[in-house]
């Protein structure tokens, strides 16, 4: 900055600094409102859904986990029909559910081929009748 020697130069420098301050304040305010809009829960959910839908690997992983959880729960319910007060049966059911879920999550292609085999066998049986 230059040396200020007259009151007119001082007033001019003050006016310049106040203009800069106003511009910086407006930029900071605009950035604050952008951050505020971005951090709204609805916008966070929207951006997360867009990210999930744009990434096929992430979508497949979430889908495989969901299928694994459902299959594990259904297998537990299919084997242990009805409610049981036995803690050992409940523990066995939880272990079965965890095992099926892990199997499906870690090897989703095995489930797909198993389901395809079942449907192909049922189609062959229908055609042969």
């Amino acid at each position: 900055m230059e040396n200020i020697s007259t009151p007119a130069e001082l007033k001019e420098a003050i006016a310049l600094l106040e203009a800069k301050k106003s511009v910086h304040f407006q930029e900071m305010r605009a950035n604050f409102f952008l951050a505020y809009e971005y951090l709204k829960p609805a916008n966070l959910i929207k951006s997360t859904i867009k990210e999930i839908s744009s990434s096929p690997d992430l979508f497949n992983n979430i889908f495989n986990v969901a299928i694994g959880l459902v299959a594990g729960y259904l297998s537990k319910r299919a084997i242990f029909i009805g409610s049981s007060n036995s803690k050992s049966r409940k523990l066995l059911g939880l272990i079965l559910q965890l095992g099926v879920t892990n199997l499906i999550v870690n090897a989703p292609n095995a489930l797909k081929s198993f389901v395809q085999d079942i449907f192909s066998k049922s189609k062959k049986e229908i055609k042969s009748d």
Side-chain angles (χ1 to χ4, degrees):
M1 220 171 162
E2 300 175 19
N3 289 335
I4 299 173
S5 58
T6 65
E9 289 177 350
L10 179 62
K11 287 181 182 178
E12 184 180 330
I14 291 172
L16 181 64
L17 288 173
E18 286 178 349
K20 284 183 180 180
K21 176 185 166 188
S22 176
V23 168
H24 287 301
F25 179 75
Q26 293 298 327
E27 289 176 358
M28 186 175 68
R29 187 174 180 181
N31 287 336
F32 172 77
F33 285 116
L34 284 174
Y36 175 75
E37 284 296 316
Y38 179 76
L39 293 176
K40 282 185 177 178
N43 291 337
L44 287 174
I45 292 170
K46 284 180 190 177
S47 65
T48 302
I49 290 173
K50 285 180 185 178
E51 193 175 311
I52 288 172
S53 64
S54 66
S55 173
D57 293 335
L58 183 60
F59 179 77
N60 285 338
N61 288 341
I62 290 173
F63 182 73
N64 289 339
V65 167
I67 293 295
L69 289 172
V70 169
Y73 179 76
L74 292 177
S75 65
K76 180 178 112 173
R77 289 291 166 199
I79 292 176
F80 297 106
I81 296 174
S83 62
S84 173
N85 291 332
S86 171
K87 292 186 187 242
S88 61
R89 282 181 59 106
K90 287 182 180 180
L91 180 63
L92 186 61
L94 287 173
I95 291 171
L96 174 70
Q97 181 179 0
L98 181 64
V100 170
T101 301
N102 281 334
L103 176 70
I104 292 174
V105 169
N106 292 329
N109 293 333
L111 175 68
K112 290 176 187 174
S113 64
F114 177 73
V115 170
Q116 287 174 348
D117 288 344
I118 290 174
F119 283 120
S120 65
K121 288 179 184 177
S122 64
K123 284 182 184 179
K124 290 178 184 177
E125 290 175 3
I126 292 172
K127 288 181 182 179
S128 64
D129 288 341

